Amino acid sequence: MMQIPKKYLHDKLILLLVSSNVFLAFVCVVLVFLRLNVGQSTDGYIVEYRSNLGISAFKAGNITGILSFVVFAVLIVAMNIVLSIRTYHVRKELSVVVLTSSVLLLILTIIVSNALLV
C-alpha cells in the first residue's frame, strides 16, 4: 500500500486542487447521467464529430460511447491523485502541475460531453 506523506495532507494548495478535481469529476458524472434519456433508443447518441466529412460529420453510436466520459473522468481523477502523491516526494511543484493538468482535462471533458449530448 502506498504511504501518503503527512506534508501532502497538510498542503492547502494540494488539497484545493484535489477537492476541485473530485468536484469536477462529480459534475461531469452528474451532467452525463442527467442528459441521458432512459426511454431513448440505445443508438440515438452522437458520439463523434468529424469536420472533414461535411454533411455526415456527426456519427451516431450507442450509450457506451457516452458512458465512457464517466469512466474517463473517474480514471483521470484517480490516476492523477496517485501520480501527485508519488511525485510529491520529488518536487511539490511537479505534484501541483499534475493536479492542475487534471483540472484542465476534466473541464474539457465536461465541455465535450455537454456538446455531444445537446
Side-chain angles (χ1 to χ4, degrees), residues 16-111:
L16 175 71
L17 288 170
V18 168
S19 62
S20 64
N21 280 331
V22 171
F23 175 73
L24 285 172
F26 178 74
V27 166
C28 182
V29 168
V30 167
L31 286 176
V32 167
F33 281 130
L34 286 178
R35 293 276 183 150
L36 291 178
N37 294 332
V38 178
Q40 186 177 350
S41 68
T42 59
D43 293 334
Y45 296 102
I46 297 172
V47 294
E48 288 183 34
Y49 175 74
R50 306 261 174 126
S51 62
N52 60 348
L53 294 178
I55 294 174
S56 62
F58 295 104
K59 297 291 181 186
N62 55 10
I63 199 167
T64 58
I66 298 300
L67 291 179
S68 65
F69 284 106
V70 173
V71 174
F72 179 72
V74 171
L75 279 175
I76 287 297
V77 169
M79 294 303 294
N80 281 336
I81 289 174
V82 169
L83 284 174
S84 173
I85 290 171
R86 287 189 174 197
T87 58
Y88 191 79
H89 293 295
V90 178
R91 290 206 44 98
K92 175 190 166 192
E93 292 82 11
L94 182 60
S95 180
V96 169
V97 167
V98 168
L99 289 173
T100 306
S101 67
S102 66
V103 169
L104 176 67
L105 274 174
L106 288 170
I107 289 172
L108 289 174
T109 303
I110 291 170
I111 291 171

